Amino acid sequence: MEQGASAYTVPLPVLFRGPLDSDALAAALSGVVARHEALRTRFTERDGEVYQVIGPAARVPLPLPGANRILAGLFQTLSRGT
């Protein structure tokens, strides 16, 4: 495996329509990661030997692009009273 190679990276854009329950989506993604060790595995090297390290199951952060901008605009609108 070459560092930075994209052989095992498969991008998958998804378009959601309608309201998004971001908490439910984050919980679902976290559940998938908790069930599949391969999604928590990284490779490291010590003394010339490469080995895998399986990380603990943890909540997967779900950044929402533009959320800060949208919230800032909402707070600004609310503070003006309109």
Side-chain angles (χ1 to χ4, degrees):
M1 241 190 284
E2 289 182 38
Q3 186 172 0
S6 62
Y8 296 98
T9 303
V10 181
L12 176 67
V14 179
L15 174 65
F16 292 102
R17 293 183 184 197
L20 172 64
D21 184 343
S22 58
D23 291 334
L25 180 57
L29 289 173
S30 296
V32 170
V33 170
R35 285 190 301 275
H36 299 280
E37 290 180 343
L39 298 175
R40 296 181 278 121
T41 301
R42 61 185 170 85
F43 294 90
T44 189
E45 179 183 354
R46 184 183 300 158
D47 299 327
E49 287 289 320
V50 177
Y51 62 97
Q52 66 182 16
V53 176
I54 301 171
R59 188 175 194 286
V60 175
L62 183 64
L64 298 174
N68 289 338
R69 179 181 48 80
I70 292 167
L71 289 174
L74 176 62
F75 288 134
Q76 184 178 27
T77 300
L78 291 174
S79 66
R80 287 193 308 240
T82 53

